[in-house]
Amino acid sequence: MQSGIYKKILIATDGSENAKHAASSAIDITRLAGAKLYALNVLPDIPHLSYFGMPIENPKGVSLEEKKFEEHLEADGKKALDVVVEMGKKEGVEVEPVMKKGHPGSVIIDFAEKNDIDLIVVGTLGRSGIDRVLVGSVAVDVARRAKTRVMIVK
C-alpha cells in the first residue's frame, strides 16, 4: 500500500530501549505507508564538555582520551544503526543508515529539512522534574523546532 501522507520517514536512534520502541513504530508506519526509512544516529560534539546541549570548543585540540571516547561513541552509534537496519529486515523494510556529528536536535531537524522528511520519529526517556530541566530532551527540542510532523514514542 502506498500512502500519500508519508513518503520519507526518519527514525532518530541512540541505541536505547526507548529508541528501539520508536524504531519499531517507525518501521510499522514505513511498511504500511510504502515509504522510505532513514535511521539517523547523531554523534554529539565533545559531549563531556557540553553544557545544556551546547557544544564547548576545546582550545587545546583533541586529547588521546577524547579520541578514544569519540571512537567509542562512533562504535555505539554504528551498533544502534545496525539494530534498526536488522529490525527493518525482519519486517521487510529497507532502512538507510546515516551517521552525523553535531548537536542532536539540530542535526535531526537539518537532516529532515534537507531530505524532505515527512515524519520524524524519536523516542524519549520520559524524564520529569529537575532531570528534564537539567538534562533536556532531544525529543522535545525536535518537536518544538521541526517544520514537519514529529512522533514521540515513550
Side-chain angles (χ1 to χ4, degrees), residues 24-114:
S24 179
S25 295
I27 290 166
D28 287 345
I29 294 167
T30 299
R31 185 173 28 79
L32 291 170
K36 178 172 177 71
L37 181 61
Y38 297 89
L40 175 64
N41 177 267
V42 181
L43 302 173
D45 284 323
I46 314 175
H48 61 290
L49 294 178
S50 294
Y51 184 71
F52 290 111
M54 299 304 295
I56 299 172
E57 295 297 322
N58 182 353
K60 297 180 182 178
V62 177
S63 69
L64 183 58
E65 292 80 21
E66 287 175 308
K67 185 70 174 161
K68 286 182 182 178
F69 188 66
E70 287 177 1
E71 288 170 358
H72 177 74
L73 285 176
E74 189 170 334
D76 282 352
K78 183 173 179 350
K79 285 180 195 173
L81 291 171
D82 289 346
V83 165
V84 177
V85 169
E86 193 58 37
M87 289 172 69
K89 280 183 187 174
K90 288 179 182 176
E91 296 297 324
V93 172
E94 185 177 336
V95 179
E96 184 173 325
V98 180
M99 188 177 290
K100 300 272 185 186
K101 187 174 182 178
H103 180 267
S106 297
V107 172
I108 292 166
I109 292 166
D110 185 58
F111 183 89
E113 289 176 1
K114 288 182 177 173

XYZ file of all heavy atoms in Angstrom, residues 24-114:
697
model
N 10.598 0.536 16.122
C 9.547 -0.424 15.797
C 8.319 0.288 15.229
O 7.741 -0.139 14.217
C 9.175 -1.222 17.047
O 8.155 -2.143 16.761
N 7.937 1.400 15.858
C 6.798 2.188 15.363
C 7.097 2.766 13.984
O 6.251 2.733 13.088
C 6.465 3.318 16.338
O 6.013 2.794 17.566
N 8.306 3.288 13.814
C 8.681 3.874 12.519
C 8.671 2.824 11.418
O 8.227 3.086 10.295
C 10.063 4.526 12.628
N 9.150 1.632 11.731
C 9.168 0.545 10.746
C 7.746 0.145 10.370
O 7.438 -0.044 9.192
C 9.987 -0.647 11.287
C 11.476 -0.268 11.319
C 9.747 -1.903 10.447
C 12.349 -1.210 12.134
N 6.861 0.042 11.349
C 5.463 -0.302 11.063
C 4.816 0.738 10.149
O 4.151 0.391 9.172
C 4.646 -0.402 12.360
C 4.967 -1.653 13.164
O 5.597 -2.582 12.614
O 4.603 -1.683 14.359
N 5.018 2.007 10.455
C 4.425 3.085 9.654
C 5.018 3.070 8.248
O 4.301 3.223 7.258
C 4.614 4.455 10.333
C 3.821 4.498 11.640
C 4.188 5.592 9.406
C 4.175 5.678 12.536
N 6.337 2.866 8.165
C 7.015 2.826 6.869
C 6.452 1.709 6.003
O 6.165 1.904 4.819
C 8.531 2.620 7.063
O 9.046 3.720 7.827
C 9.254 2.546 5.730
N 6.288 0.530 6.596
C 5.755 -0.618 5.857
C 4.340 -0.334 5.368
O 4.010 -0.561 4.208
C 5.774 -1.867 6.744
C 5.359 -3.135 6.040
C 5.533 -4.398 6.882
N 5.440 -4.251 8.323
C 4.293 -4.146 9.013
N 3.143 -4.157 8.380
N 4.305 -4.036 10.322
N 3.488 0.186 6.260
C 2.101 0.468 5.892
C 1.983 1.570 4.838
O 1.102 1.523 3.980
C 1.298 0.858 7.140
C 1.063 -0.270 8.140
C 0.469 0.283 9.431
C 0.164 -1.339 7.536
N 2.861 2.555 4.925
C 2.796 3.692 4.003
C 3.549 3.439 2.698
O 3.407 4.198 1.744
C 3.347 4.949 4.677
N 4.383 2.405 2.670
C 5.209 2.175 1.489
C 6.245 3.276 1.326
O 6.614 3.644 0.216
N 6.721 3.790 2.454
C 7.648 4.926 2.463
C 9.101 4.451 2.481
O 9.391 3.259 2.543
C 7.368 5.799 3.689
N 9.995 5.411 2.424
C 11.435 5.164 2.571
C 11.802 5.511 4.006
O 11.336 6.523 4.532
C 12.224 6.037 1.600
C 13.734 5.880 1.720
C 14.445 6.618 0.604
C 15.949 6.535 0.738
N 16.507 5.230 0.471
N 12.648 4.687 4.649
C 13.019 4.910 6.045
C 14.511 5.176 6.184
O 15.332 4.416 5.667
C 12.634 3.704 6.906
C 12.933 3.813 8.400
C 12.173 4.972 9.038
C 12.595 2.511 9.110
N 14.818 6.256 6.867
C 16.191 6.607 7.222
C 16.344 6.410 8.722
O 15.468 6.805 9.491
C 16.493 8.074 6.911
C 16.410 8.445 5.456
C 15.205 8.856 4.903
C 17.535 8.396 4.641
C 15.113 9.210 3.565
C 17.451 8.744 3.297
C 16.240 9.155 2.769
O 16.149 9.501 1.453
N 17.467 5.825 9.145
C 17.812 5.746 10.565
C 19.002 6.673 10.774
O 20.016 6.549 10.086
C 18.170 4.324 10.965
N 18.865 7.610 11.699
C 19.910 8.609 11.939
C 20.435 8.486 13.355
O 19.669 8.475 14.315
C 19.343 10.016 11.717
C 20.260 11.195 12.042
C 21.488 11.211 11.127
C 19.489 12.505 11.919
N 21.750 8.391 13.473
C 22.418 8.457 14.765
C 23.306 9.687 14.745
O 24.043 9.901 13.784
C 23.259 7.199 15.015
C 24.008 7.284 16.321
O 25.159 7.717 16.362
N 23.356 6.883 17.393
N 23.201 10.490 15.794
C 23.982 11.720 15.866
C 25.048 11.580 16.950
O 24.724 11.341 18.119
C 23.094 12.951 16.163
C 23.935 14.216 16.196
C 21.986 13.067 15.128
N 26.301 11.718 16.530
C 27.405 11.736 17.480
C 27.525 13.153 18.028
O 27.796 14.081 17.265
C 28.715 11.347 16.788
C 28.736 9.979 16.113
C 30.025 9.795 15.335
C 28.558 8.885 17.141
N 27.305 13.335 19.332
C 27.357 14.689 19.882
C 28.767 15.249 19.861
O 29.740 14.505 19.992
C 26.837 14.529 21.310
C 26.903 13.087 21.613
C 26.972 12.329 20.319
N 28.878 16.557 19.694
C 30.176 17.236 19.756
C 30.687 17.203 21.184
O 30.030 17.702 22.098
C 30.047 18.699 19.306
C 29.926 18.836 17.812
O 30.589 18.069 17.104
O 29.162 19.709 17.368
N 31.846 16.616 21.373
C 32.529 16.545 22.672
C 31.525 16.598 23.821
O 31.445 17.571 24.552
C 33.576 17.672 22.813
C 34.423 17.774 21.539
C 34.486 17.390 24.009
C 35.398 18.916 21.527
N 30.720 15.548 23.996
C 29.629 15.587 24.969
C 30.061 15.822 26.402
O 29.336 16.440 27.162
C 28.971 14.219 24.816
C 29.997 13.366 24.184
C 30.849 14.261 23.347
N 31.258 15.357 26.785
C 31.679 15.565 28.164
C 32.084 17.003 28.435
O 32.269 17.395 29.577
C 32.790 14.593 28.549
C 34.028 14.737 27.734
N 34.082 14.376 26.407
C 35.240 15.221 28.044
C 35.285 14.614 25.943
N 36.002 15.129 26.905
N 32.212 17.828 27.395
C 32.493 19.252 27.565
C 31.279 20.110 27.229
O 31.372 21.316 27.136
C 33.668 19.681 26.670
C 35.022 19.073 27.008
C 36.074 19.550 26.015
C 35.436 19.418 28.423
N 30.127 19.460 27.043
C 28.915 20.188 26.702
C 28.197 20.652 27.952
O 28.282 20.038 29.000
C 27.956 19.310 25.887
O 28.531 19.008 24.651
N 27.486 21.743 27.806
C 26.715 22.300 28.901
C 25.339 22.640 28.373
O 25.208 23.450 27.471
C 27.423 23.542 29.435
C 26.765 24.155 30.634
C 26.806 23.527 31.870
C 26.104 25.357 30.528
C 26.197 24.090 32.968
C 25.489 25.928 31.610
C 25.540 25.290 32.838
O 24.927 25.848 33.916
N 24.321 21.997 28.894
C 22.945 22.195 28.445
C 22.800 22.032 26.943
O 22.083 22.771 26.287
C 22.401 23.548 28.883
C 22.177 23.639 30.353
C 22.968 24.454 31.139
C 21.181 22.908 30.967
C 22.763 24.530 32.503
C 20.974 22.972 32.329
C 21.766 23.788 33.109
N 23.536 21.053 26.383
C 23.360 20.716 24.976
C 24.089 21.612 24.005
O 24.005 21.426 22.809
N 24.828 22.585 24.498
C 25.573 23.473 23.604
C 27.039 23.051 23.593
O 27.676 22.990 24.644
C 25.465 24.933 24.063
C 24.032 25.442 24.071
S 23.176 25.279 22.495
C 24.130 26.387 21.503
N 27.611 22.735 22.429
C 28.993 22.284 22.389
C 29.960 23.379 22.827
O 29.759 24.556 22.532
C 29.218 21.916 20.923
C 28.120 22.528 20.165
C 26.995 22.787 21.123
N 30.980 22.974 23.568
C 32.030 23.898 24.001
C 33.307 23.462 23.302
O 33.696 22.300 23.375
C 32.215 23.846 25.531
C 30.919 24.270 26.223
C 33.389 24.711 25.972
C 30.933 24.065 27.722
N 33.965 24.382 22.635
C 35.186 24.054 21.906
C 36.330 23.796 22.882
O 36.452 24.448 23.909
C 35.566 25.208 20.966
C 34.556 25.452 19.861
C 34.417 24.272 18.934
O 35.426 23.617 18.626
O 33.275 23.990 18.536
N 37.158 22.833 22.570
C 38.344 22.540 23.361
C 39.501 23.324 22.749
O 39.977 22.986 21.674
C 38.624 21.041 23.330
C 39.818 20.650 24.161
O 40.540 21.498 24.673
N 40.038 19.358 24.286
N 39.992 24.374 23.414
C 41.030 25.230 22.824
C 42.358 24.520 22.609
O 43.181 24.975 21.832
C 41.171 26.369 23.829
C 40.627 25.835 25.112
C 39.606 24.796 24.742
N 42.596 23.408 23.280
C 43.872 22.708 23.168
C 43.842 21.585 22.131
O 44.806 20.870 21.965
C 44.274 22.134 24.527
C 44.505 23.201 25.569
C 44.894 22.583 26.888
C 45.076 23.685 27.923
N 45.405 23.138 29.233
N 42.744 21.406 21.475
C 42.632 20.334 20.497
C 42.097 19.065 21.129
O 41.704 19.041 22.281
N 42.108 17.993 20.377
C 41.538 16.731 20.821
C 42.612 15.897 21.518
O 43.656 15.614 20.939
C 40.944 15.946 19.630
C 40.422 14.596 20.070
C 39.838 16.760 18.977
N 42.380 15.510 22.765
C 43.329 14.688 23.507
C 43.150 13.223 23.123
O 42.163 12.840 22.493
C 43.115 14.861 25.008
O 41.887 14.278 25.389
N 44.088 12.388 23.564
C 44.005 10.965 23.300
C 42.755 10.382 23.939
O 42.065 9.559 23.332
C 45.255 10.261 23.831
C 45.349 8.764 23.569
C 45.279 8.466 22.073
C 46.629 8.212 24.152
N 42.431 10.814 25.168
C 41.238 10.329 25.853
C 39.977 10.712 25.085
O 39.052 9.911 24.960
C 41.157 10.883 27.282
C 42.229 10.344 28.210
C 43.576 11.045 28.044
O 43.616 12.194 27.520
O 44.590 10.443 28.403
N 39.931 11.943 24.580
C 38.777 12.380 23.798
C 38.649 11.566 22.517
O 37.545 11.197 22.117
C 38.880 13.875 23.466
C 38.621 14.767 24.652
C 38.858 16.221 24.323
O 39.936 16.539 23.799
O 37.955 17.021 24.587
N 39.776 11.280 21.880
C 39.765 10.494 20.641
C 39.199 9.102 20.910
O 38.352 8.603 20.166
C 41.187 10.406 20.066
C 41.258 9.718 18.740
C 40.644 10.560 17.656
C 40.852 9.901 16.314
N 39.936 10.418 15.319
N 39.643 8.480 22.007
C 39.128 7.153 22.366
C 37.633 7.229 22.662
O 36.875 6.346 22.279
C 39.878 6.598 23.579
C 41.264 6.119 23.277
C 41.917 5.552 24.526
C 43.330 5.104 24.262
N 43.993 4.607 25.476
N 37.243 8.282 23.358
C 35.835 8.459 23.697
C 34.994 8.623 22.424
O 33.936 8.023 22.278
C 35.661 9.668 24.622
C 34.280 9.806 25.180
C 33.773 8.864 26.059
C 33.485 10.886 24.832
C 32.494 8.983 26.580
C 32.204 11.019 25.345
C 31.709 10.068 26.221
N 35.483 9.416 21.478
C 34.783 9.619 20.211
C 34.692 8.314 19.421
O 33.658 8.025 18.811
C 35.465 10.708 19.387
C 35.234 12.101 19.947
C 35.974 13.192 19.175
O 36.658 12.876 18.173
O 35.876 14.349 19.603
N 35.768 7.522 19.436
C 35.747 6.225 18.755
C 34.712 5.299 19.399
O 34.015 4.558 18.705
C 37.136 5.584 18.780
C 38.130 6.276 17.867
C 39.555 5.795 18.062
O 39.825 4.935 18.950
O 40.430 6.285 17.323
N 34.624 5.354 20.717
C 33.626 4.555 21.444
C 32.209 4.990 21.054
O 31.350 4.149 20.803
C 33.849 4.701 22.957
C 32.838 3.980 23.782
N 32.829 2.610 23.917
C 31.790 4.438 24.494
C 31.819 2.258 24.681
N 31.167 3.347 25.051
N 31.978 6.316 21.002
C 30.664 6.832 20.605
C 30.316 6.404 19.184
O 29.172 6.031 18.899
C 30.626 8.357 20.702
C 30.525 8.972 22.081
C 30.599 10.499 21.980
C 29.250 8.558 22.777
N 31.302 6.458 18.299
C 31.067 6.070 16.902
C 30.717 4.579 16.804
O 29.802 4.193 16.068
C 32.291 6.386 16.053
C 32.032 6.222 14.575
C 33.163 6.762 13.713
O 33.883 7.665 14.161
O 33.290 6.265 12.576
N 31.412 3.745 17.565
C 31.112 2.306 17.554
C 29.704 2.055 18.103
O 28.952 1.249 17.547
C 32.148 1.548 18.383
N 29.332 2.753 19.176
C 27.983 2.623 19.732
C 26.937 3.103 18.733
O 25.873 2.494 18.602
C 27.843 3.417 21.036
C 28.467 2.706 22.225
O 28.870 1.533 22.088
O 28.555 3.341 23.292
N 27.229 4.191 18.035
C 26.303 4.714 17.032
C 26.093 3.733 15.894
O 24.965 3.522 15.426
N 27.170 3.095 15.460
C 27.059 2.094 14.391
C 26.211 0.909 14.861
O 25.368 0.408 14.119
C 28.439 1.625 13.932
C 28.345 0.634 12.779
C 29.663 0.289 12.201
C 29.611 -0.710 11.076
N 28.400 -1.401 10.784
N 26.411 0.485 16.109
C 25.604 -0.615 16.660
C 24.124 -0.233 16.686
O 23.259 -1.035 16.341
C 26.060 -0.964 18.079
C 27.339 -1.733 18.159
C 27.687 -2.016 19.610
C 29.119 -2.444 19.749
N 29.545 -2.566 21.152
N 23.842 0.999 17.103
C 22.450 1.467 17.165
C 21.817 1.438 15.775
O 20.664 1.017 15.616
C 22.387 2.878 17.757
N 22.562 1.879 14.771
C 22.047 1.866 13.397
C 21.865 0.429 12.894
O 20.865 0.116 12.243
C 22.983 2.642 12.469
C 23.023 4.149 12.696
C 24.143 4.787 11.881
C 21.688 4.779 12.364
N 22.827 -0.435 13.217
C 22.734 -1.839 12.788
C 21.486 -2.510 13.362
O 20.844 -3.321 12.685
C 23.985 -2.617 13.205
C 25.221 -2.236 12.396
O 25.084 -1.573 11.346
O 26.336 -2.607 12.829
N 21.142 -2.168 14.612
C 19.949 -2.742 15.231
C 18.703 -2.353 14.449
O 17.842 -3.183 14.159
C 19.826 -2.293 16.715
C 18.431 -2.575 17.264
C 20.881 -2.979 17.570
N 18.607 -1.073 14.060
C 17.428 -0.607 13.314
C 17.389 -1.241 11.930
O 16.323 -1.665 11.465
C 17.389 0.932 13.227
C 16.205 1.397 12.387
C 17.327 1.552 14.617
N 18.528 -1.354 11.275
C 18.586 -1.993 9.956
C 18.110 -3.444 10.066
O 17.312 -3.912 9.244
C 20.016 -1.922 9.362
C 20.149 -2.820 8.132
C 20.368 -0.485 9.016
N 18.567 -4.148 11.094
C 18.162 -5.551 11.289
C 16.673 -5.653 11.611
O 15.987 -6.548 11.108
C 19.004 -6.189 12.408
C 18.885 -7.679 12.482
C 19.274 -8.395 11.196
O 20.220 -7.970 10.496
O 18.605 -9.398 10.870
N 16.158 -4.751 12.447
C 14.720 -4.728 12.750
C 13.918 -4.538 11.466
O 12.896 -5.181 11.259
C 14.393 -3.594 13.736
C 14.901 -3.824 15.144
S 14.686 -2.355 16.198
C 12.894 -2.317 16.357
N 14.386 -3.638 10.607
C 13.714 -3.384 9.337
C 13.708 -4.613 8.446
O 12.684 -4.960 7.844
N 14.859 -5.305 8.365
C 14.947 -6.519 7.538
C 13.914 -7.550 7.960
O 13.287 -8.187 7.121
C 16.351 -7.129 7.641
C 17.380 -6.462 6.775
C 18.704 -7.175 6.887
C 19.776 -6.395 6.146
N 21.113 -6.967 6.336
N 13.748 -7.711 9.266
C 12.791 -8.706 9.778
C 11.358 -8.377 9.373
O 10.526 -9.269 9.274
C 12.888 -8.799 11.300
C 14.144 -9.479 11.776
C 14.220 -9.528 13.285
C 15.515 -10.177 13.717
N 15.676 -10.165 15.173
N 11.087 -7.098 9.117
C 9.738 -6.661 8.732
C 9.628 -6.370 7.243
O 8.607 -5.854 6.778
C 9.350 -5.416 9.538
C 9.234 -5.652 11.030
C 8.140 -6.640 11.382
O 7.084 -6.657 10.714
O 8.351 -7.427 12.330
N 10.693 -6.645 6.490
C 10.674 -6.403 5.055
C 10.783 -4.935 4.684
O 10.326 -4.521 3.616
N 11.412 -4.133 5.563
C 11.569 -2.696 5.323
C 13.053 -2.372 5.194
O 13.844 -2.684 6.093
C 10.955 -1.872 6.482
C 11.283 -0.386 6.324
C 9.457 -2.089 6.551
N 13.416 -1.764 4.074
C 14.802 -1.342 3.880
C 15.043 -0.060 4.667
O 14.254 0.887 4.595
C 15.088 -1.107 2.399
C 16.545 -0.790 2.136
C 16.842 -0.617 0.657
O 16.086 -1.156 -0.177
O 17.823 0.070 0.350
N 16.134 -0.038 5.417
C 16.494 1.115 6.236
C 17.825 1.663 5.750
O 18.799 0.915 5.632
C 16.614 0.726 7.729
C 17.013 1.939 8.566
C 15.314 0.111 8.236
N 17.863 2.951 5.472
C 19.118 3.585 5.081
C 19.763 4.205 6.319
O 19.242 5.183 6.865
C 18.888 4.666 4.020
C 20.178 5.282 3.534
C 19.996 6.237 2.373
O 19.121 5.990 1.520
O 20.736 7.232 2.326
N 20.898 3.649 6.785
C 21.548 4.190 7.981
C 22.373 5.439 7.663
O 23.032 5.510 6.629
C 22.448 3.044 8.437
C 22.762 2.283 7.187
C 21.568 2.450 6.281
N 22.316 6.416 8.579
C 23.044 7.672 8.411
C 23.646 8.048 9.759
O 22.949 8.024 10.775
C 22.115 8.813 7.937
C 22.886 10.109 7.780
C 21.401 8.435 6.648
N 24.936 8.404 9.761
C 25.574 8.879 10.980
C 26.090 10.295 10.729
O 26.732 10.555 9.716
C 26.719 7.967 11.399
C 27.282 8.305 12.771
S 28.591 7.171 13.305
C 27.651 5.687 13.587
N 25.759 11.185 11.649
C 26.193 12.582 11.553
C 26.786 12.992 12.893
O 26.605 12.308 13.898
C 25.012 13.504 11.231
C 24.297 13.211 9.934
C 24.942 13.945 8.819
C 24.135 13.747 7.531
N 24.798 14.328 6.409
N 27.437 14.127 12.913
C 28.018 14.652 14.146
C 27.492 16.062 14.377
O 27.341 16.839 13.438
C 29.546 14.669 14.047
C 30.226 15.047 15.335
C 31.729 14.914 15.232
C 32.337 15.262 16.583
N 33.780 15.118 16.574
N 27.204 16.383 15.632
C 26.753 17.727 15.970
C 25.795 17.701 17.145
O 25.711 16.720 17.881
N 25.058 18.781 17.305
C 24.041 18.865 18.353
C 22.853 18.036 17.883
O 22.274 18.308 16.828
C 23.642 20.322 18.576
C 22.613 20.491 19.629
N 21.277 20.534 19.337
C 22.719 20.589 20.971
C 20.599 20.675 20.463
N 21.456 20.698 21.466
N 22.463 16.983 18.632
C 21.454 16.042 18.129
C 20.171 16.678 17.596
O 19.763 16.369 16.475
C 21.182 15.146 19.346
C 22.483 15.148 20.081
C 22.995 16.548 19.931
N 19.537 17.540 18.355
C 18.282 18.143 17.894
C 18.455 18.902 16.589
O 17.664 18.756 15.655
N 19.499 19.690 16.514
C 19.752 20.491 15.310
C 20.061 19.617 14.102
O 19.593 19.890 12.990
C 20.908 21.461 15.564
O 20.569 22.367 16.574
N 20.853 18.568 14.313
C 21.212 17.682 13.203
C 19.982 16.937 12.689
O 19.790 16.797 11.479
C 22.325 16.694 13.621
C 22.564 15.644 12.538
C 23.613 17.456 13.918
N 19.141 16.465 13.594
C 17.922 15.763 13.189
C 17.033 16.674 12.350
O 16.559 16.297 11.280
C 17.157 15.237 14.431
C 17.964 14.133 15.111
C 15.760 14.752 14.047
C 17.494 13.781 16.517
N 16.823 17.894 12.824
C 15.977 18.852 12.111
C 16.586 19.215 10.761
O 15.889 19.252 9.742
C 15.735 20.105 12.974
C 14.859 19.727 14.184
C 15.101 21.227 12.162
C 14.823 20.780 15.277
N 17.892 19.460 10.737
C 18.574 19.817 9.491
C 18.473 18.680 8.471
O 18.188 18.913 7.293
C 20.040 20.148 9.790
C 20.782 20.640 8.576
O 20.349 21.654 7.982
O 21.803 20.016 8.204
N 18.702 17.450 8.924
C 18.591 16.290 8.026
C 17.179 16.187 7.461
O 16.992 15.956 6.269
C 18.980 15.003 8.761
C 18.958 13.794 7.868
C 20.086 13.431 7.144
C 17.811 13.021 7.737
C 20.066 12.319 6.306
C 17.780 11.913 6.908
C 18.910 11.565 6.188
N 16.199 16.353 8.331
C 14.799 16.259 7.896
C 14.475 17.310 6.836
O 13.818 17.004 5.838
C 13.863 16.399 9.091
N 14.939 18.526 7.044
C 14.662 19.600 6.080
C 15.375 19.363 4.760
O 14.788 19.538 3.690
C 15.057 20.947 6.678
C 14.127 21.394 7.787
C 14.548 22.689 8.472
O 15.572 23.293 8.077
O 13.851 23.090 9.424
N 16.635 18.958 4.807
C 17.413 18.763 3.584
C 16.962 17.542 2.773
O 17.244 17.451 1.586
C 18.901 18.645 3.914
C 19.511 19.961 4.324
C 20.980 19.843 4.610
C 21.550 21.213 4.952
N 22.932 21.150 5.396
